[in-house]
Amino acid sequence: MTILSDIQSILKAAGILSSSLVVGLVLDKVVLRRLKVLASRTPWEGDEIVVDSLRGLLLYSALLTGLYGVATQVPMTVGLQRLAGNIFLVTIILVATLFFMRLAAGFVTHYAKKAVLPSISIFSNLAKVSVFSIGILIILQSLGISIAPILTALGVGGLAVALALQDTLSNIFAGLHIIATRQIRQGDYIRLASGEEGYVNDITWRNTTVQTLPNNMVIIPNSKLAGAIVTNYNLPDREMAVLVQVGVSYASDLDHVERVTIEVASELLREVQGGASGFDPFIRYHTFADFSINFTVILRGKEYVDQHLLKHEFVKRLHRRYAREKIEIPFPIRTLHIKQEAPAQEGD
């Protein structure tokens, strides 16, 4: 009879685990997928965040419930029963904490994007840390451990922690300041006074990552960035002026030079990628130089990196057009003075 009862208990436990696994798979693979389809059809985007936050957790919850059901069927002492119950409670709270961490991060990310904040990862990470801390406190309270002394100790030790982590805290608050002012945003092209430049990849809780044009990553502590002199080429507008210096011969007809140059520049902005086609280019004469009359051609690019291609194509097209129009771009002239020695006198 004992062997038979043991076999029945094993079969019963296997049945409970199998049932919980089937229920979990149905909830996770079928019900949750159906809910996601329904959520995508509603105008509110929050329900999609809720469904995404449940991904995988329904299966774990069903398995944990099955394991707890098996534990209740197994004969054990009161102490082991209490231990099993505590383990189940802690695990369920951890699963719930993970759900709320995903949920908080999802809503923070969603509304941060709607508010067009320059970075979202720092807010997402802070939301996760906050929810995780609350979850740990709930676990301790559920286990009968008073959290009041812990909160008191944290309050007293906060000053010591702040002193020990002053660099980290400085970077966190500097990052929040950078985000709040919106003077540096994700995707902006910036240049620091120290020479580093590139696209802002992300602003995290500790540093800001900048991707350079050679495809390298520059990591700048937030406190350093907040105190640095920074040129943001995307503010107040992404479009920027592109200046090209040109010089023509003194014998040139300046009105003709201006007309031809503007024609080439207008054609360039219409045809070359990155050119602001709605902008009317112009030139400004400014210098009677040693061997040429110099002027500046003002073009406009859609963003900072477009200037390189625009200058490249403009120089080629202008050189070709000047050759056809017989407009001379003079070579630099340098005068060399050669000192001659006096002829030797007879008798010397």
Side-chain angles (χ1 to χ4, degrees):
M1 294 294 293
T2 305
I3 297 175
L4 181 61
S5 62
D6 290 342
I7 293 175
Q8 289 177 346
S9 299
I10 293 173
L11 290 176
K12 190 174 183 179
I16 293 174
L17 283 177
S18 301
S19 301
S20 62
L21 178 61
V22 171
V23 171
L25 288 173
V26 170
L27 290 174
D28 192 62
K29 302 298 182 182
V30 179
V31 177
L32 200 61
R33 186 175 298 176
R34 181 59 180 168
L35 288 175
K36 189 169 184 178
V37 173
L38 294 175
S40 63
R41 298 175 182 173
T42 62
W44 185 53
E45 298 177 2
D47 48 10
E48 296 182 47
I49 298 174
V50 174
V51 173
D52 288 335
S53 301
L54 287 171
R55 188 179 67 255
L57 298 183
L58 295 178
L59 176 59
Y60 295 145
S61 300
L63 286 174
L64 287 172
T65 304
L67 289 172
Y68 183 71
V70 170
T72 57
Q73 299 299 320
V74 176
M76 59 179 68
T77 63
V78 177
L80 287 176
Q81 288 180 352
R82 187 182 300 112
L83 178 62
N86 288 338
I87 291 175
F88 176 74
L89 179 62
V90 169
T91 311
I92 286 296
I93 294 176
L94 285 176
V95 171
T97 301
L98 180 57
F99 166 71
F100 284 110
M101 284 174 62
R102 290 179 178 178
L103 195 66
F107 275 108
V108 166
T109 300
H110 173 67
Y111 287 108
K113 286 181 178 178
K114 274 195 168 183
V116 198
L117 292 177
S119 176
I120 57 177
S121 64
I122 187 171
F123 293 109
S124 176
N125 291 333
L126 287 174
K128 289 179 181 179
V129 170
S130 301
V131 173
F132 181 75
S133 301
I134 294 172
I136 294 298
L137 293 176
I138 292 174
I139 289 174
L140 295 175
Q141 188 69 31
S142 301
L143 294 176
I145 301 173
S146 178
I147 62 173
I150 297 175
L151 294 177
T152 303
L154 289 176
V156 174
L159 180 60
V161 173
L163 291 174
L165 301 177
Q166 55 181 333
D167 290 339
T168 301
L169 293 175
S170 174
N171 285 320
I172 290 175
F173 286 109
L176 292 174
H177 169 72
I178 292 170
I179 293 171
T181 58
R182 299 190 181 188
Q183 294 174 345
I184 298 175
R185 304 163 301 177
Q186 195 172 15
D188 286 354
Y189 193 94
I190 64 171
R191 176 186 291 165
L192 277 65
S194 54
E196 296 85 358
E197 63 178 273
Y199 286 101
V200 177
N201 191 294
D202 196 9
I203 304 173
T204 66
W205 62 274
R206 189 179 186 280
N207 51 54
T208 298
T209 54
V210 175
Q211 187 170 4
T212 63
L213 292 182
N215 205 28
N216 299 318
M217 196 71 72
V218 178
I219 301 173
I220 309 168
N222 290 333
S223 58
K224 300 292 184 183
L225 184 63
I229 299 175
V230 181
T231 302
N232 190 333
Y233 290 97
N234 287 66
L235 291 178
D237 189 12
R238 278 187 176 270
E239 290 190 0
M240 62 171 291
V242 180
L243 309 181
V244 183
Q245 306 300 326
V246 185
V248 294
S249 169
Y250 273 89
S252 303
D253 181 347
L254 297 186
D255 290 330
H256 178 59
V257 170
E258 182 175 5
R259 183 171 60 255
V260 168
T261 305
I262 291 176
E263 287 177 4
V264 174
S266 299
E267 182 183 76
L268 176 87
L269 295 183
R270 288 194 305 269
E271 298 178 357
V272 176
Q273 183 180 2
S277 57
F279 177 75
D280 294 326
F282 57 94
I283 75 171
R284 290 294 181 265
Y285 292 102
H286 56 74
T287 306
F288 289 104
D290 293 338
F291 50 86
S292 63
I293 297 177
N294 295 341
F295 60 92
T296 301
V297 184
I298 295 88
L299 311 171
R300 184 171 288 269
K302 291 183 179 179
E303 61 175 303
Y304 178 82
V305 295
D306 292 330
Q307 64 175 314
H308 304 297
L309 179 60
L310 290 175
K311 289 180 179 180
H312 169 78
E313 285 294 328
F314 181 69
V315 169
K316 290 199 305 183
R317 295 184 182 211
L318 191 65
H319 183 265
R320 202 161 46 234
R321 182 68 182 276
Y322 277 6
R324 290 204 305 266
E325 299 288 340
K326 308 298 183 184
I327 298 174
E328 180 186 1
I329 302 176
F331 291 102
I333 300 173
R334 294 289 183 265
T335 303
L336 299 178
H337 297 277
I338 302 174
K339 184 177 181 181
Q340 296 182 350
E341 295 184 1
Q345 306 236 350
E346 293 183 1
D348 289 349

